[in-house]
Amino acid sequence: QAKRYGFTGGDCVELVRQYAAKHPFAKDWSDSEILRRIDEADVDEGEALTNATFKCTDLGNGERFASQNGGDVRYVTDWGKWIHFDGTHWPVDNTGETYRRAATTIRTIKDEAASVKDPDVADAIEKWAHQSEHVARMDAMLKVARSLRPIPITVGELDSHPWLFNVLNGTIDLRTGQLHPHRRDDYLTRICPIKYPTVGGGDPVLWLEFLNR
């Protein structure tokens, strides 16, 4: 279990020592023997995916963030900025939304600990959860996450549909005049603060006068 959750080195030794204190081994292992056995331990990949979602490392935390937020968060590599889908478009994060999501991700690590049967491993995971709340660990998580799929995106993938016009109540296809629901996959970063009329009205007098000039 220690290997499955990504513990290495001294952390593994400490876990085994804690376990041995409660369940004495027939033979006292040296630190080097513990590390050797950890290195040689086989982890069934299917079991790992079922019982341990991510490792207790910066990479593991980055994978947690990407898994939990991959639907609504992107990192624009060309800009060096985060964007998120707010239901209508993908604005640049100027309010700390990414860090709020990171904090939420960190808090879920304690839930992982609660699902582990071995109390020593659960304690170690909970300890990692507390360590992950440090700003340095959160920064490391986001630094890793910005290179993990589906998080990274390029400028060329944004606003790449010249015939789509984004408004408050949907996205207009200028080729047909039809209004469609907002879609994440359109990757539109801008929005016009008006509503496209969906009910017929009177003649657009001002618009017609402009065209007749």
Side-chain angles (χ1 to χ4, degrees):
Q1 287 197 50
K3 186 173 182 179
R4 185 182 303 128
Y5 277 90
F7 294 110
T8 58
D11 290 332
C12 276
V13 172
E14 181 181 352
L15 275 173
V16 174
R17 293 292 183 208
Q18 290 175 2
Y19 182 86
K22 300 175 183 178
H23 311 279
F25 298 157
K27 179 182 179 181
D28 186 27
W29 291 348
S30 65
D31 289 358
S32 59
E33 176 69 8
I34 292 174
L35 291 174
R36 184 184 67 79
R37 289 176 178 269
I38 290 291
D39 289 338
E40 293 177 353
D42 289 328
V43 178
D44 181 85
E45 293 300 323
E47 185 181 7
L49 290 172
T50 301
N51 298 332
T53 49
F54 305 103
K55 293 184 177 181
C56 293
T57 60
D58 290 335
L59 174 58
N61 283 357
E63 291 171 338
R64 288 179 174 92
F65 182 87
S67 175
Q68 295 176 22
N69 299 280
D72 294 324
V73 174
R74 294 290 181 271
Y75 182 78
V76 186
T77 54
D78 311 75
W79 295 346
K81 295 182 179 181
W82 292 90
I83 60 176
H84 68 279
F85 186 69
D86 67 358
T88 62
H89 65 304
W90 292 83
V92 171
D93 178 16
N94 292 320
T95 65
E97 173 67 15
T98 307
Y99 264 91
R100 287 190 291 274
R101 288 174 176 267
T104 299
T105 295
I106 293 301
R107 294 189 184 102
T108 65
I109 301 177
K110 293 182 180 180
D111 297 333
E112 295 177 31
S115 66
V116 176
K117 295 181 180 180
D118 189 310
D120 295 325
V121 174
D123 288 344
I125 296 172
E126 189 159 347
K127 180 180 178 182
W128 174 252
H130 286 298
Q131 293 174 350
S132 297
E133 292 181 357
H134 295 174
V135 173
R137 294 275 68 80
M138 292 180 68
D139 286 342
M141 176 178 68
L142 292 177
K143 187 174 183 179
V144 170
R146 65 193 190 191
S147 65
L148 300 178
R149 295 296 179 189
I151 298 297
I153 195 169
T154 64
V155 169
E157 297 173 85
L158 303 175
D159 303 306
S160 61
H161 306 284
W163 293 104
L164 296 183
F165 187 71
N166 211 21
V167 293
L168 294 177
N169 58 333
T171 303
I172 307 167
D173 187 330
L174 297 177
R175 294 167 297 186
T176 63
Q178 292 184 331
L179 181 70
H180 301 284
H182 295 114
R183 295 174 294 204
R184 286 178 175 81
D185 292 344
D186 288 338
Y187 288 114
L188 302 177
T189 65
R190 301 177 181 88
I191 190 168
C192 184
I194 63 169
K195 287 187 176 181
Y196 185 68
T198 56
V199 179
D203 291 337
V205 178
L206 185 61
W207 175 245
L208 293 175
E209 289 178 352
F210 171 78
L211 294 178
N212 289 329
R213 289 179 184 176

